[in-house]
Amino acid sequence: MGMVFGKISVETPNYEVVQSSPDYEIRKYTPSVVAEVTYDPSQFKGNKDGGFSVLANYIGALGNPQNTKPEKIAMTAPVITKSSSESGSEKIAMTAPVVTKGGREGEKKMVTMQFLLPAKYGKAEEAPKPVDERVVIREEGERKYGVVKFGGVATEEVVEEKVDKLKKSLERDGFRVVGEFLLARYNPPWTLPAFRTNEVMIPVE
């Protein structure tokens, strides 16, 4: 029942708030291991969150874990998504962790969705190996983000507006933006919109 009202009872990533302002927080995240899948939403009938079931199957959230152990992996929050455009054969480097971002005509819009694995997996090789080869396990080093938190449903319009405002605030205060924004969503889809927690995160130097 708590999940309907937005109570977050799962493990969340460790970070330190290095600076706080009325408009955003600057957070430094500790290294972590992530499971991620990159896809063209058209593979999932246009659903930008289509990768969720692929990752949920890997950890065993929807039944038997689809990993070689097989071992059930605890769900964590948030679920992170980022979008990139893929032009021709040039693949965009998968840097960080659903909203579709920019992209010129003729480019494929790709989405990368990430689950952060529980902190007990300190290295990528310690995590169970996925059965589905679309799932990639990798390590993320220490990283710094400008972050803004908001409630409700994270529609494309809302996210775009938050990103735009956050980017301007960061640049105004002298921060250098070093990558695409990420959308972090902390609650399952059945949580009532008024109780949802979302964050827009922009990597900074």
Side-chain angles (χ1 to χ4, degrees):
M1 192 63 181
M3 292 169 97
V4 175
F5 294 105
K7 187 175 185 318
I8 300 159
S9 52
V10 295
E11 189 181 318
T12 55
N14 291 322
Y15 63 82
E16 173 198 343
V17 177
V18 287
Q19 195 180 320
S20 199
S21 87
D23 299 324
Y24 58 83
E25 271 183 356
I26 299 293
R27 297 180 190 167
K28 190 160 76 180
Y29 283 81
T30 55
S32 56
V33 177
V34 301
E36 70 179 24
V37 59
T38 298
Y39 52 95
D40 174 350
S42 67
Q43 296 168 287
F44 297 98
K45 299 185 179 137
N47 179 6
K48 293 198 194 78
D49 289 340
F52 185 88
S53 56
V54 177
L55 294 175
N57 280 326
Y58 163 67
I59 68 170
L62 302 174
N64 294 329
Q66 299 296 302
N67 59 62
T68 51
K69 281 222 162 118
E71 176 179 307
K72 215 168 167 62
I73 302 165
M75 183 75 193
T76 63
V79 171
I80 291 173
T81 40
K82 81 162 205 166
S83 301
S84 58
S85 295
E86 196 178 291
S87 166
S89 62
E90 183 197 357
K91 211 162 170 62
I92 305 293
M94 294 195 302
T95 47
V98 192
V99 170
T100 312
K101 181 98 179 78
R104 293 179 294 280
E105 285 300 314
E107 288 185 337
K108 263 164 101 180
K109 295 203 174 80
M110 303 297 283
V111 173
T112 297
M113 181 178 279
Q114 289 186 335
F115 281 10
L116 298 154
L117 297 188
K120 70 171 187 175
Y121 302 109
K123 291 194 160 41
E125 57 268 23
E126 290 170 14
K129 200 171 172 331
V131 172
D132 189 329
E133 59 193 27
R134 291 174 295 178
V135 179
V136 176
I137 306 299
R138 61 186 194 81
E139 292 165 29
E140 294 247 287
E142 192 178 79
R143 54 228 184 270
K144 207 155 82 170
Y145 293 104
V147 182
V148 71
K149 190 180 286 213
F150 62 101
V153 180
T155 62
E156 287 197 26
E157 294 73 26
V158 169
V159 171
E160 215 168 278
E161 190 186 306
K162 301 281 178 198
V163 169
D164 195 47
K165 197 171 165 205
L166 176 57
K167 218 174 220 169
K168 286 183 174 134
S169 301
L170 291 168
E171 284 166 350
R172 174 198 69 204
D173 296 346
F175 287 101
R176 204 166 97 77
V177 170
V178 291
E180 292 294 326
F181 78 89
L182 321 177
L183 172 64
R185 288 172 291 179
Y186 283 82
N187 314 98
W190 54 83
T191 301
L192 296 169
F195 297 99
R196 291 186 194 181
T197 300
N198 312 297
E199 288 173 344
V200 158
M201 308 168 68
I202 295 181
V204 292
E205 251 179 15

